[in-house]
Every structure is written in C-alpha cells, then in structure tokens.
Amino acid sequence: MARHIDIEQDRETALREAVRVLSSGHTVAIPTETVYGLAADATNPAAITRIYETKGRPQFNPLICHMASIAMAQDHAIFDATSRKLAETFWPGPLTLILPLRPESPIHALATAGLDTVGIRIPKGFASDLIAAFGKPLAAPSANSSGKISSTSAAHVEADLGDKIGLILDGGSAHVGVESTIIKVEKDGSVRLLRPGGLVAEDIEHMIGTKLVRAEKASAAIEAPGMLASHYAPGAAVRLNAVSIEKGEALIRFGGQPVANQENAAIILDLSTSADLAEAATNLFDHLKTADASGADSIAVTAIPSTGLGEAINDRLARAAAPRS
C-alpha cells in the first residue's frame, strides 16, 4: 500500500517528500486540476522507464512534460508566435502544446517516444509548486493502468496502482476531471487539435481567430498522449447513445432525462442532472469507475452534446467504447 500525504494538512511535508522520492528516480502520484498524474523526472531514463512499467504503457506513446513556468518551458522547447500566445493566455491550465524539442534539452528520448517534439503543460496549483521545488520538468501521464479509466482522486490511484508505487499526494478530487487539450501549431500556421480536453476548442479558436483542424482518429499517427483508438476503458463493455436499457446494464445518463426500461439497470448514474457539461466532465471518470464496479457486463451511456466540454467527454467515451486488442 502506498503512503498517502494530504496536501491541505501538510503541504510542506508533501513537497519535501515528493522531491526526495523524485530525486531518487522513483514515481509519485500527484494531483493536478485535470486528473491525477504519475510523475517522474523527465530527464532520467530509469525514472521514465518506471512510469511505463508501472502503467503497462507502450513506449511508443509519448508523455507530457510538465513545467513550472514559461521560462522553464522555453529552456526545453522552441515556441512559434502562436504557441507563445496560447501559452501566455491559457497557462497555467489544461492546455498541452506540442513543440519542437530543443537539441540541448536534457528531456530524455524515452519521454518523447523518440520524437523531435515534446508535449508541454504548466499545471495549476500544487503540481506547479512541486516542479519549481524539484527544478526539473516532470513527465506525468495519468496515474492509472494504461488504457484504463483515468484517476480523479487519490482513492482511484490507490485502487489501481497502490501496490506499485510508494507515494500518493492527496489533493482531493480533480476540478476539471478530464485530461488537457492537446494542440500543435504546424509549419504552415494551421493549428491542429490532437486531443480535446479540459480547455474547450471554442476558447482556443476565439483567441487564435481561426478554426482548429481536427486530427483524423482513424489515421492519425501517435503524436501525443490519448490518441490510441482504445483508451480510458473500464472492464465492462461501453455502449454509446443508449435510448433503452437491457437487463443488468449500468446506466450513465445526462441531464436527468429518464431512459426507456431504465428499471432494468443495475445502477443509474447521472453525469449532471442540470445538463452542466463542466459538471459532467468532472464526474465522467468517477462514474465510469462506479458503473464498472457494479458488476455489470455493459455500461450504457446516453447521448451527450458535442459542444464545449462535450467534445472532450465524447472523445473519451468513444475511445472507452472502441474495440480492444
């Protein structure tokens, strides 16, 4: 069982112990505003290998490197004008930028999966303070087994990885509830959305003054985390856009709307009874875990609007429902 430190009760001990463990080349589960991350020194190949081994994650799937400031990020990546404007507008926050890696950066190739680009984010709150105290970027994918539901609480991390890691920092429930939005500015100036997430696309489009180019799910190369076709998956099968419920299914609905034959459901959960997409995003992974724990063989999810944060929610659900290898 991993050791837990409550950040609100003892922030200084949490910082000191996390820096000690990270400096030894081991991993620490840390809270961020999006989801909990499994953090390790992004410049240490042994530490990065522990991330892959702990998660069971394929090493062709790159990791996001988290920074404490734009100044730190500039030491490791090359910013074009648009990316710099995006960083200044939305960092710290749930935005990851895919940028050219500086040749002199000590970020190890294991963190970038050998690509000449690196995904960079500045998180809010404690995670940023930890990176500043550590003095080096942290590679930190979601703190869960690869391909499974992301963790939005310390309890989720403990249930999934508690026997594989030594330290979990408890910062309460993640506020955003889905991973960061991933953006890449191409050489021709177009801006591609590689993964929808906690920063809604419309806010980015308003800032840059143009529409985002969506990556093709079926054919896109793995340029960033979260692009595998099957991802964020519970043990049970996931059925989308459900309009009726079969006997024994778990039901996840939206907006408090009743569903035909919902009396057949083993459990009924609602992402947001008031149809609030931000609340739905916060509850998504927790509800998937709860539905999966009900023992149902199938999880039926009703339709969710694709506007705003609904784009990220539907992206995660589509990957959860995808055929699995």
Side-chain angles (χ1 to χ4, degrees):
M1 182 175 177
R3 178 188 179 194
H4 287 239
I5 301 177
D6 189 311
I7 291 169
E8 288 193 6
Q9 292 182 2
D10 199 342
R11 187 182 183 89
E12 290 307 310
T13 296
L15 278 171
R16 182 178 64 253
E17 286 300 292
V19 169
R20 181 185 65 80
V21 173
L22 292 167
S23 298
S24 73
H26 288 81
T27 60
V28 177
I30 64 171
T32 79
E33 74 276 29
T34 55
V35 298
Y36 274 65
L38 184 64
D41 182 350
T43 70
N44 182 336
I48 298 165
T49 297
R50 288 190 174 98
I51 291 177
Y52 286 114
E53 291 176 342
T54 300
K55 286 176 62 68
R57 182 185 178 104
Q59 293 192 9
F60 60 77
N61 196 2
L63 306 175
I64 293 173
C65 294
H66 295 70
M67 308 283 173
S69 64
I70 291 178
M72 177 184 279
Q74 286 181 310
D75 289 339
H76 299 278
I78 301 168
F79 284 74
D80 58 89
T82 301
S83 294
R84 175 71 191 217
K85 188 176 180 182
L86 284 164
E88 291 173 345
T89 303
F90 296 115
W91 280 352
L95 172 69
T96 293
L97 295 172
I98 304 298
L99 300 165
L101 183 68
R102 289 192 180 276
E104 67 272 21
S105 170
I107 290 174
H108 197 272
L110 280 173
T112 64
L115 300 172
D116 60 3
T117 56
V118 59
I120 291 181
R121 183 169 94 85
I122 299 178
K124 291 182 179 180
F126 177 86
S128 184
D129 294 341
L130 173 59
I131 299 162
F134 185 56
K136 292 183 283 187
L138 294 180
S142 55
N144 56 276
S145 297
S146 184
K148 300 302 181 181
I149 306 168
S150 299
S151 296
T152 56
S153 71
H156 291 165
V157 181
E158 176 64 44
D160 191 347
L161 301 178
D163 60 345
K164 297 180 180 179
I165 59 178
L167 181 61
I168 299 173
L169 303 182
D170 189 345
S173 296
H175 174 68
V176 176
V178 293
E179 294 84 356
S180 60
T181 302
I182 302 181
I183 293 294
K184 183 180 182 184
V185 179
E186 301 290 0
K187 292 179 180 179
D188 63 4
S190 62
V191 184
R192 293 175 63 214
L193 176 65
L194 298 182
R195 181 182 74 182
L199 177 62
V200 300
E202 290 88 343
D203 289 346
I204 298 171
E205 291 173 337
H206 178 74
M207 196 227 75
I208 63 177
T210 187
K211 287 287 186 182
L212 294 171
V213 178
R214 264 66 174 179
E216 293 292 335
K217 289 184 176 65
S219 60
I222 303 300
E223 301 177 71
M227 294 184 71
L228 295 173
S230 177
H231 209 57
Y232 316 109
V238 177
R239 184 168 66 89
L240 304 182
N241 300 317
V243 295
S244 65
I245 303 304
E246 302 296 328
K247 188 71 174 177
E249 283 190 307
L251 168 61
I252 298 178
R253 64 187 188 184
F254 175 75
Q257 295 300 312
V259 181
N261 303 318
Q262 67 179 29
E263 65 275 7
N264 288 332
I267 186 173
I268 299 175
L269 303 164
D270 202 305
L271 291 171
S272 172
T273 56
S274 62
D276 183 326
L277 287 169
E279 182 183 18
T282 299
N283 289 330
L284 176 62
F285 291 137
D286 182 70
H287 282 13
L288 282 171
K289 286 178 180 289
T290 301
D292 201 28
S294 72
D297 291 330
S298 175
I299 301 171
V301 185
T302 62
I304 296 165
S306 290
T307 56
L309 280 171
E311 183 175 11
I313 295 169
N314 282 303
D315 172 83
R316 303 307 189 273
L317 287 171
R319 297 180 195 274
R324 306 172 194 179
S325 57

